Amino acid sequence: MITACVHVAIREYWNINGGGLLVNGKSEKNKGALATIAANHIPELKDFFSHGEVQCFKRGETVFSEGQAITQIIDLVSGCASVSRNGKNGRRQILAFVGARQFIGGASTALYPNSVVALTNVEAIAYPKSVLEQAVAIAPEFAKHFQILLVNMIESRDDHIFAIGQRTANERLASFLLHLRNNQARFSTGGARYQSNRIDLPMSRVDISDYLGLSVETISRAFSWLKRQGVINFSDSTQCEIVDLPRIQEFGGSDDFTHHRGSAQT
Amino acid sequence: MITACVHVAIREYWNINGGGLLVNGKSEKNKGALATIAANHIPELKDFFSHGEVQCFKRGETVFSEGQAITQIIDLVSGCASVSRNGKNGRRQILAFVGARQFIGGASTALYPNSVVALTNVEAIAYPKSVLEQAVAIAPEFAKHFQILLVNMIESRDDHIFAIGQRTANERLASFLLHLRNNQARFSTGGARYQSNRIDLPMSRVDISDYLGLSVETISRAFSWLKRQGVINFSDSTQCEIVDLPRIQEFGGSDDFTHHRGSAQT
DNA sequence: CGATATTTTGAAATAATTCAAAGGCAGTGG
DNA sequence: CCACTGCCTTTGAATTATTTCAAAATATCG
């Protein structure tokens, strides 16, 4: 029943000219999370992650499918994907949107419990699971940084749980837009902007609704409401501009985000 | 403004006779998560975690408070606590219930972003943060097992997100009861039963409502509904019996739990 | 340009909340 | 031992937020 690696067959490579992203002369922003850790912090692992297989996925393609045996770790270099769980009765919950320098394939089980789909064209590097295990085994400093990634994932989930459990529809959307704003370096298609007020929305309204636990119509109404309040504006439906940051922060409860609460301040 | 370690003053020790839980002759079940990993898998760290400070908290006491500087890791040995985030407008979301062999204090930030409160009397062992860091640094095998703990936390969060985002009130409660059933070794007060149909509820209805993102009244109605359906029964309000397991599994969508989806099966 | 999918808007239905009160249980003091 | 108090839980009725069903507007694609 397992359809592991079927996606490899239908995948196409594009815009990659060298033998791998790390050796074709491009810098930093063409690395995934694991290679970035190694490059920045662990001299002895400098070249450890340069042998990954470059994999590209087109918008809509499946990166990881539910129940697939986990043989490799996929580390995003660019683009955006959704990690979701599909319930029995047709219900779908998007657990996270992942972008540049986020990895996929971590699980405590033999089979991957979620489904990962590319929302835009995605460039990634795939490593055998054993490569990650080895890096952890031989470089304690790498293990430490890898743990920080995992803790960050927990904290994102906690923010998400708070949003879904406690906020109204309008508030959820506001906090989602702020989340995207805080992670533009990962999600924005047009390069690595950071906390610009121009927010790319690489995902559809349905994706947003499945992420926030609401119906599409409610998402659409929430967008309209925010527009009517004068806090956002649209050029087209995939790009919105935050016009009144303080007010959307108030709606979205940005005080309640982990990174806001956890930083030492006077 | 930080009230770090104030709780140390009001804490009382009880029922601890030796110089520490690990050296007073009691076995396995008196260890926290970290010591258990070391004892089971890493011979060279056998005694590494025996020097933690035993800390006990009474029902209602604060174990970790929001904004507290993280200096130590607290590893539960017995009892149950809630990890919650308190929003600005009085909203509270419980992110997780933690029990035996679960640790508290992992965060990517300098200040702990959540609040941890004992729901029953709690025995724990506190280690300086540096002890955990050292264990990871000197024993790769420990790092590996510690990562599994973190991944388990992510998967629990994912189950939680699915429940809050996709399920109705009745379904959420059903899936919560199944969650407790799957984790009786952590939560059950009367020793380490596993998947018995007698479920201890160490938390109040308000706690459950804040965990599931519903109002207390809705939780109460959901309990009554499950009772009316003939799937559960109560002796008192803190202990319920699952009478019809298949049916509560259907309501609770147990198919959608990580551990059900991720295990290899034929 | 026409056809299809996505997004937005409207009106009715429903699930969950809020407000209000009653019932149950534990602890305290007479 | 019983009555009293306070807290937690349950139930009821009205209100509200969100969903569902339906259709119009807008964007996308061949």
Side-chain angles (χ1 to χ4, degrees):
Chain A
M1 285 297 289
I2 312 303
T3 58
C5 295
V6 162
H7 60 286
V8 173
I10 58 169
R11 187 186 312 134
E12 275 179 34
Y13 291 9
W14 75 88
N15 134 15
I16 307 289
N17 30 28
L21 288 178
L22 293 184
V23 294
N24 67 0
K26 294 185 184 174
S27 60
E28 277 302 291
K29 61 177 230 190
N30 283 332
K31 292 189 181 118
L34 307 183
T36 301
I37 292 175
N40 290 354
H41 305 287
I42 299 102
E44 71 262 36
L45 291 187
K46 202 165 184 299
D47 299 320
F48 199 80
F49 289 101
S50 49
H51 306 306
E53 179 198 358
V54 174
Q55 295 187 351
C56 297
F57 303 87
K58 288 194 163 164
R59 186 173 187 279
E61 276 185 12
T62 297
V63 177
F64 248 92
S65 51
E66 284 184 45
Q68 174 177 337
I70 302 170
T71 58
Q72 50 183 13
I73 302 296
I74 293 188
D75 203 354
L76 298 203
V77 171
S78 73
C80 177
S82 66
V83 179
S84 67
R85 183 163 302 184
N86 296 86
K88 278 288 146 71
N89 17 20
R91 291 183 273 198
R92 181 179 76 138
Q93 176 66 43
I94 292 185
L95 302 166
F97 293 110
V98 292
R101 267 152 291 113
Q102 296 191 286
F103 74 94
I104 300 157
S108 68
T109 50
L111 309 182
Y112 193 66
N114 305 319
S115 144
V116 180
V117 176
L119 299 176
T120 62
N121 289 348
V122 163
E123 297 171 275
I125 303 186
Y127 306 103
K129 205 171 62 169
S130 59
V131 169
L132 174 58
E133 288 164 357
Q134 278 171 43
V136 168
I138 65 181
E141 190 66 12
F142 179 86
K144 179 180 149 191
H145 282 89
F146 182 63
Q147 280 163 22
I148 294 175
L149 288 190
L150 294 175
V151 170
N152 283 336
M153 288 174 71
I154 295 170
E155 291 170 346
S156 282
R157 300 305 203 256
D158 286 348
D159 287 344
H160 194 184
I161 290 170
F162 187 92
I164 300 185
Q166 299 299 319
R167 296 201 232 267
T168 66
N170 293 338
E171 291 169 347
R172 285 185 217 183
L173 184 60
S175 81
F176 175 65
L177 294 175
L178 291 170
H179 169 70
L180 289 181
R181 183 173 183 273
N182 289 334
N183 290 278
Q184 272 168 329
R186 298 190 192 289
F187 296 127
S188 128
T189 52
R193 289 171 296 166
Y194 180 63
Q195 298 205 338
S196 141
N197 282 333
R198 193 154 270 298
I199 312 284
D200 283 322
L201 300 166
M203 64 292 290
S204 73
R205 298 292 190 265
V206 174
D207 291 331
I208 298 175
S209 74
D210 286 344
Y211 180 77
L212 295 177
L214 297 162
S215 67
V216 211
E217 295 94 329
T218 301
I219 295 298
S220 188
R221 280 184 245 274
F223 269 123
S224 302
W225 184 83
L226 287 172
K227 209 160 43 183
R228 224 177 310 125
Q229 298 298 311
V231 303
I232 61 170
N233 248 341
F234 277 100
S235 14
D236 63 89
S237 72
T238 68
Q239 215 180 33
C240 90
E241 167 125 30
I242 295 179
V243 185
D244 189 340
L245 183 61
R247 220 141 84 84
I248 201 174
Q249 284 174 333
E250 195 183 326
F251 292 146
S254 63
D255 295 338
D256 299 330
F257 290 8
T258 300
H259 71 92
H260 184 278
R261 306 163 74 81
S263 331
Q265 59 235 127
T266 43
Chain B
M1 285 299 290
I2 311 302
T3 59
C5 293
V6 162
H7 60 286
V8 173
I10 58 170
R11 187 187 313 134
E12 275 180 34
Y13 291 8
W14 75 90
N15 136 14
I16 307 290
N17 29 28
L21 287 179
L22 293 184
V23 295
N24 68 1
K26 292 186 186 174
S27 60
E28 277 302 290
K29 62 177 230 188
N30 283 332
K31 292 187 181 118
L34 307 183
T36 301
I37 292 175
N40 290 354
H41 304 287
I42 299 101
E44 71 262 36
L45 291 186
K46 201 165 186 299
D47 299 321
F48 200 80
F49 290 100
S50 49
H51 305 307
E53 180 199 358
V54 175
Q55 295 188 351
C56 296
F57 303 87
K58 287 196 164 164
R59 187 174 187 280
E61 276 184 11
T62 297
V63 177
F64 248 91
S65 51
E66 284 183 45
Q68 173 177 336
I70 301 170
T71 57
Q72 49 183 13
I73 302 295
I74 292 188
D75 203 354
L76 298 204
V77 171
S78 73
C80 177
S82 66
V83 179
S84 66
R85 182 162 303 183
N86 295 85
K88 278 288 147 69
N89 16 20
R91 291 184 271 200
R92 182 180 76 137
Q93 175 67 43
I94 292 185
L95 302 167
F97 293 111
V98 292
R101 269 151 290 115
Q102 297 190 287
F103 73 96
I104 300 157
S108 68
T109 49
L111 309 182
Y112 193 67
N114 305 320
S115 144
V116 180
V117 176
L119 299 176
T120 63
N121 288 349
V122 163
E123 297 171 274
I125 305 186
Y127 306 103
K129 205 170 62 168
S130 59
V131 169
L132 174 59
E133 287 164 357
Q134 278 170 43
V136 168
I138 65 180
E141 190 66 11
F142 180 87
K144 179 180 149 190
H145 282 90
F146 182 64
Q147 280 163 21
I148 294 175
L149 288 190
L150 294 175
V151 171
N152 283 335
M153 288 173 71
I154 294 170
E155 291 170 345
S156 281
R157 299 310 203 252
D158 286 349
D159 288 343
H160 195 183
I161 289 170
F162 187 92
I164 300 185
Q166 299 300 318
R167 295 201 231 268
T168 65
N170 293 339
E171 291 169 347
R172 285 185 217 183
L173 184 60
S175 79
F176 175 64
L177 293 175
L178 291 170
H179 169 70
L180 288 181
R181 184 173 182 271
N182 289 335
N183 290 279
Q184 273 169 329
R186 299 190 192 290
F187 295 127
S188 129
T189 52
R193 287 170 297 166
Y194 179 62
Q195 299 205 337
S196 143
N197 284 333
R198 194 155 270 298
I199 313 283
D200 283 321
L201 300 165
M203 65 291 291
S204 73
R205 298 293 189 264
V206 174
D207 291 330
I208 298 175
S209 74
D210 286 345
Y211 180 77
L212 295 177
L214 297 163
S215 68
V216 212
E217 295 94 329
T218 300
I219 294 298
S220 187
R221 280 183 246 274
F223 269 123
S224 302
W225 185 84
L226 287 172
K227 208 160 42 181
R228 224 176 310 126
Q229 299 297 311
V231 303
I232 61 169
N233 248 342
F234 277 99
S235 17
D236 64 88
S237 72
T238 67
Q239 215 181 32
C240 89
E241 167 125 29
I242 294 179
V243 186
D244 189 340
L245 184 62
R247 222 142 84 83
I248 201 175
Q249 283 173 333
E250 196 182 326
F251 291 145
S254 63
D255 295 337
D256 299 331
F257 290 8
T258 300
H259 70 93
H260 183 280
R261 305 161 74 80
S263 331
Q265 59 235 126
T266 42

